[in-house]
Amino acid sequence: MSQEIILDTRELEAPEPMNLVLNALSQLDENTSIKMIHRMEPMMLYNTLTNNDLNYKVVPKPDEVSIYIWDNSFKEQSKFKDMN
């Protein structure tokens, strides 16, 4: 059974969203992923994720964006394939 860490950062000012997600990255494993909800795309985060060999999917909505983050060992990676 997988666990999703939900980080709702829509009301936080920089650098709090980045600090929260960077701290949460250490919890990623075969059963854990992260869902970060932000009011805009955290462009600086994407390079960090790529440089650390982490996977992510961005799902934009009119007033917010959700970023799903997982590592290669995550057992339920298929749940992100059809997500819009």
Side-chain angles (χ1 to χ4, degrees):
M1 186 167 160
S2 68
Q3 173 188 356
E4 186 172 68
I5 299 168
I6 299 176
L7 303 174
D8 186 346
T9 64
R10 290 174 287 186
E11 302 296 321
L12 301 178
E13 295 299 321
E16 287 184 77
M18 186 66 124
N19 291 339
L20 280 176
V21 73
L22 291 177
N23 287 333
L25 293 179
S26 66
Q27 298 176 56
L28 292 175
D29 61 23
E30 64 186 19
N31 297 309
T32 309
S33 64
I34 297 170
K35 176 183 180 182
M36 180 182 196
I37 307 165
H38 205 306
R39 64 183 172 276
M40 61 186 158
E41 283 200 59
M43 302 306 286
M44 294 181 71
L45 175 62
Y46 303 147
N47 284 337
T48 301
L49 298 176
T50 301
N51 290 341
N52 285 287
D53 216 16
L54 296 171
N55 305 296
Y56 64 93
K57 175 142 185 151
V58 179
V59 180
K61 297 179 183 170
D63 295 329
E64 66 187 46
V65 61
S66 294
I67 302 99
Y68 297 86
I69 306 166
W70 67 97
D71 73 9
N72 289 323
S73 70
F74 186 62
K75 289 181 178 178
E76 295 181 33
Q77 293 185 39
S78 62
K79 79 178 199 174
F80 302 114
K81 288 190 188 274
D82 298 324
M83 194 175 278
N84 289 323

